Amino acid sequence: MNLKEKWVTAFEAFPHKEDILKDIRKEALSFFAEKGFPHKKIEAWKYTSLSKLQATDYSLWQPVNEKTTLSAEVLHEYSIKDCYSLVFVNGFYCAEMSSKEIAGITITPLLEALHKGGEAFISKYFNTTTEKGDVFTALNTAFASEGIYIEVPKGKVVDKPIQLLYFNDRGETTCYQPRNIIAVGENAQLKVIEVHQNVSNTATAILTNAVTEIFVAKEAHLDYYKLQNDHLTASLIDNTYISQEANSHASVHTFSFGGELTRNNLNFYHQGEHLESTLKGLSILQGSQHTDHYTLVNHAYPNCESHQDYKSIVSDEATNVFNGKIMVEQIAQKTNAYQQNDNILLSDKATVYTKPQLEIFADDVKCSHGCTVGSLSADSLFYLQTRGIGKKEASALLTYAFANTVLESVKIPALSEYINRIIAEKLGVTVDF
């Protein structure tokens, strides 16, 4: 029995298959059973093989009663200071380790929110922005059990960022399916940091298949940060769908530093005029790591802007993929869309695949895209060395300068400091950036 067949069969024993989502779950499972895992003959997966993932005997996480907590030391190590925390341990929401109350906003475990809200809540928020042809989203829909619903009411400015911390310490080969819904009300403001971390002492393979649906209302502001620095035994498939209304601002920063295989699918859908979308990413990859960024910005209304800036620093035999698409529909006149992907290769065996794309059906637009692949400038390295800077430190300084267009737009100072420490560690220097 292969992995697909194993997971389809596991649905019969899944305890939530008969809940309020039962019909939606069954339909999603049928789609997964029909399509199976994506392969390299599919254009969107051309440069990312899932053969090793399919050869791993992952068990689907089952929501059994085994709630645990982590040590305070572990929580402190992976937490960003001056933030609210919502903590999940081995797939369960851990209220004891989470911030007790965040004044003025609604925070509810996902299944509880679905049952309280009923059909009206589901028809408004659940599976309404997702890509219906995505296999991993369908898999998550079939098996989703734990996640969080966050609602920020109209006019509310959340005073500190909220960090979503997903920990695993079970030491078993498991696939988790977290599902989140975030609704930012009209003229409200929210900052979110998302972290998935395997803290088990064993070298167990972990797969996280996450789906997040985000709704940004009129004149609202959302800043979302994905910090991906997991162990090399962990893999992550991350699908994020963002629906934006008029005059809103939404930005997503993705920092991919760890994990064996990481696939980030980031989709923006415009639902009004005069809004702005920002997508930025930084990958620093070593060893045999593989990271794939797949982005879509759907300009469906006039007078909107989008900005994409993705950078990668790839060494050893690692691989980075960028496949970005800007779609401008015929009605979306006066669109201003920018897309850039820049890459540095630090070894002869490192690999980059880059494919920026524009599909434009309007005639009064400003759209541009581009990509570069190269190495560090020998002249610049030599110049810094003549000023008494060691070669390793000079290389690190140039690399940091290259990445800084992504880092400089981070709006959480404590997160910037945390990322700078990770970059110094990845580059093997003690420079305080």
Side-chain angles (χ1 to χ4, degrees), residues 13 18 26 65-66 74 120 132 148 204 291 294 296 318 324 354 362 373 376 414 423:
E18 296 300 330
K26 290 176 181 177
N65 294 321
E66 61 162 72
V74 170
K132 300 304 184 288
I148 206 75
T204 305
T291 295
Y294 189 92
L296 167 67
T354 178
V373 181
L376 293 176
I423 291 175

Side-chain angles (χ1 to χ4, degrees), residues 89 168 190:
V89 182
N168 169 75
L190 175 67

